[in-house]
Amino acid sequence: MTTLKIAIQKGGRLSEKSKELIKKLGIRVKNGGKLRAEADNFPLELLYLRDDDIPKYVARGVADLGIVGQNVIVEKTHEVQEIRPLGFGKCRLCLAVEKDLDYPGLEWFEGRRVATSYPKILQEYFATNKIKVSIEEISGSVEIAPSIGLTDAVFDIVSTGSTLIMNGLKEVETVMRSEAVLVGRQDLSPEKQALVAKLVFRLDSLLRSRRYKYILLNAPQASLDRVLQLLPGMKSPTVMPLADESWYSVHSVIHEEKFWEIIDQLKDCGAEGILICPIENMVL
Ligand code: ATP
Ligand code: ZN
């Protein structure tokens, strides 16, 4: 029988969220070994790897799918297909310099030394900007490089910026933004493609559900039409009479983008008892 293999990070910032995502796709993983585990209700095997190796394993067909940061994909340049961004592992890759430096702009970097674990992304960035720098590739604790006298600046992953501040650095340029993505290999068999399509269908309904909320409220009869206009829903809202004949219960879904704006307008229409619930899955 055909089994899909998916590579996820073994231990690190993406590990827990990757496992949680697989669970939310309805996949039950048996307690396996340290390096691999099998699902018992979907033909899927999990491979636990270092994130740096995931693009290569997917490109070479050792794994069919992978969950990895876009930063790693760009750095490693293996041919993999980005299937969906996953909304977690969000970070940015930034250039940082000593905090007291009066930074004049990118030209400051001309002839300087920069420490990073992402030499390829950095080299391309400076090449595009026609600035010559010397790049020191180091695999960890990049942020200490200036204080120990190795380099003049660093290029590293930032999410809150607190690590930079703790090391007496400040962010001066954002080079790239990244989040975790589902990637796939290019040439899957039709059987495997069908399994990937099944997973992506589940993933899409999960990702869609995160952007919407389920809303329930009571509306007075006099403003029911206005309330319904505010809540178009998937097809149209559900309206049910309450025991008190001058009131209705209205159920619908709303998009997170317009969320507070719509709530304010609903209150202005006299809506009461507004309940907002998360949606677990949204299958169209
Ligand atoms: P490995 O041992 O697998 O090589 P690592 O130390 O290289 O792990 P992590 O620090 O676990 O990597 O980060 C994995 C990925 O998570 C990064 O490549 C990036 O996409 C994302 N990431 C890194 N730092 C952050 C952060 N502070 N906030 C959010 N996402 C981050
Ligand atoms: Zn890594």
Side-chain angles (χ1 to χ4, degrees), residues 154-259:
V154 302
F155 173 60
D156 203 4
I157 292 184
V158 179
S159 62
T160 61
S162 57
T163 312
L164 291 180
I165 293 167
M166 269 168 16
N167 286 281
L169 300 171
K170 68 175 174 190
E171 200 178 317
V172 288
E173 306 284 348
T174 299
V175 173
M176 150 174 208
R177 287 180 190 281
S178 173
E179 67 181 277
V181 282
L182 177 70
V183 292
R185 55 185 270 226
Q186 310 268 23
D187 48 353
L188 286 175
S189 66
E191 292 83 7
K192 287 195 171 180
Q193 275 178 30
L195 289 174
V196 171
K198 222 167 157 175
L199 278 186
V200 171
F201 179 80
R202 294 185 189 185
L203 177 62
D204 281 342
S205 76
L206 183 72
L207 295 174
R208 191 181 301 120
S209 73
R210 291 189 184 154
R211 299 193 300 269
Y212 288 87
K213 301 275 180 225
Y214 192 75
I215 177 167
L216 304 90
L217 58 85
N218 295 326
Q221 185 170 30
S223 56
L224 186 62
D225 287 344
R226 271 162 64 210
V227 168
L228 297 186
Q229 274 171 13
L230 289 169
L231 298 172
M234 295 231 273
K235 222 178 206 89
S236 75
T238 307
V239 180
M240 285 176 285
L242 294 189
D244 175 343
E245 284 174 12
S246 57
W247 284 83
Y248 288 87
S249 169
V250 179
H251 299 198
S252 192
V253 292
I254 54 178
H255 196 276
E256 63 175 3
E257 250 171 39
K258 298 191 185 144
F259 184 78

Side-chain angles (χ1 to χ4, degrees), residues 9-14 49-52 69-72 89-91 118 157-159 178:
Q9 197 188 14
K10 184 165 180 259
R13 289 177 192 271
L14 303 182
L49 299 169
R50 280 202 62 185
D51 68 342
D52 312 66
Q70 285 162 321
N71 53 319
V72 176
K90 287 190 180 169
C91 56
Y118 296 92
I157 292 184
V158 179
S159 62
S178 173

Side-chain angles (χ1 to χ4, degrees), residues 5-7 49 51-84 120 176 179-188 196:
K5 290 187 187 152
I6 182 165
L49 299 169
D51 68 342
D52 312 66
D53 296 333
I54 292 176
K56 190 200 291 175
Y57 275 68
V58 173
R60 302 269 167 88
V62 176
D64 304 302
L65 297 172
I67 296 178
V68 65
Q70 285 162 321
N71 53 319
V72 176
I73 299 171
V74 175
E75 181 65 30
K76 300 293 173 188
T77 52
H78 288 288
E79 288 295 309
V80 297
Q81 193 196 339
E82 277 195 42
I83 300 176
R84 291 287 184 279
K120 194 184 145 271
M176 150 174 208
E179 67 181 277
V181 282
L182 177 70
V183 292
R185 55 185 270 226
Q186 310 268 23
D187 48 353
L188 286 175
V196 171

Side-chain angles (χ1 to χ4, degrees), residues 114-130:
V114 188
T116 188
S117 307
Y118 296 92
K120 194 184 145 271
I121 295 174
L122 188 60
Q123 196 263 322
E124 275 174 15
Y125 175 76
F126 279 121
T128 308
N129 286 287
K130 301 194 167 41

